[in-house]
Amino acid sequence: MGGLTRTQERTLIAVKPDGVQRRLVGDVIRRFERRGFKLVGMKLLQAPEKVLAEHYHDLKKKPFYPNLINYMSSGPVVAMVWEGYNVVRTSRAMVGDTDSAEAAPGTIRGDFSVHISRNVVHASDSVEVAQREISLWFHSSELVDWDCGSHSSLYHV
Ligand code: UDP
Ligand code: MG
């Protein structure tokens, strides 16, 4: 039964303004779909300052914080909730290291980013943080429970 719970794990993935401006939204979605995760929420929005302040509250004292907020406000983001077995850990691996120079080729950042300050995508870094971030960015009514049909059997191995 523990496996079933982990199957329903959810994470927040966001294509940041540079990713939207560079038309990388489709590529990011394609990677998560191909990997086998299920999209349960998605929207394009200009992130409100209050949401960004809450989202990055741990980084408030960092020297790069003002630039980070400017960057994240510089255009719309595409916020998504993806669901599936171990999705938090797996999506961090798919996104790659925070520092683009360390991000492995084949990861989103390793393929599309050269600098830590323009790293294309956000992914929650733990199950607890994911739950907090999902409720910050989405109303529960914006998340859709839907059936994967035969594909759900992939998880019952
Ligand atoms: N960031 C930055 N400079 C730094 C460290 C982080 O601009 O030296 C930005 C970058 O956009 C990063 C975000 O702050 O994605 C959040 O930092 P965190 O350490 O949480 O990295 P992430 O979880 O996004 O990999
Ligand atoms: Mg983080």
Side-chain angles (χ1 to χ4, degrees), residues 9-151:
E9 187 174 298
R10 290 179 172 184
T11 197
L12 181 85
I13 301 295
V15 184
K16 296 177 174 183
D18 56 332
V20 175
Q21 288 157 12
R22 293 172 58 195
R23 315 298 199 259
L24 296 175
V25 174
D27 191 285
V28 172
I29 292 172
R30 188 171 57 98
R31 288 168 185 244
F32 282 86
E33 285 191 328
R34 282 197 311 191
R35 190 71 188 250
F37 292 121
K38 183 166 81 167
L39 184 61
V40 295
M42 178 164 70
K43 60 184 170 185
L44 174 91
L45 76 162
Q46 182 69 44
E49 286 257 352
K50 272 183 74 172
V51 169
L52 292 176
E54 181 61 32
H55 182 80
Y56 285 128
H57 75 279
D58 283 352
L59 303 175
K60 226 157 240 168
K61 297 207 168 78
K62 301 282 187 188
F64 59 81
Y65 180 79
N67 286 338
L68 173 60
I69 298 301
N70 278 343
Y71 160 49
M72 291 297 292
S73 307
S74 65
V77 304
V78 173
M80 298 178 275
V81 178
W82 288 89
E83 181 181 294
Y85 180 71
N86 265 341
V87 68
V88 171
R89 200 149 60 90
T90 305
S91 61
R92 289 290 291 188
M94 291 166 68
V95 163
D97 198 282
T98 307
D99 181 353
S100 308
E102 299 294 331
T107 64
I108 296 170
R109 288 168 173 168
D111 287 349
F112 297 127
S113 167
V114 293
H115 197 270
I116 193 167
S117 68
R118 295 289 182 276
N119 59 5
V120 178
V121 70
H122 167 82
S124 311
D125 65 4
S126 72
V127 174
E128 295 69 35
V129 168
Q131 284 166 356
R132 190 167 57 74
E133 292 181 348
I134 289 167
S135 55
L136 176 65
W137 287 84
F138 285 87
H139 295 293
S140 55
S141 61
E142 295 174 306
L143 302 177
V144 183
D145 269 318
W146 57 281
D147 189 8
C148 264
S150 60
H151 290 283

Side-chain angles (χ1 to χ4, degrees), residues 1-8 156:
M1 285 325 261
L4 196 65
T5 307
R6 289 212 299 186
T7 298
Q8 290 158 346
H156 299 304

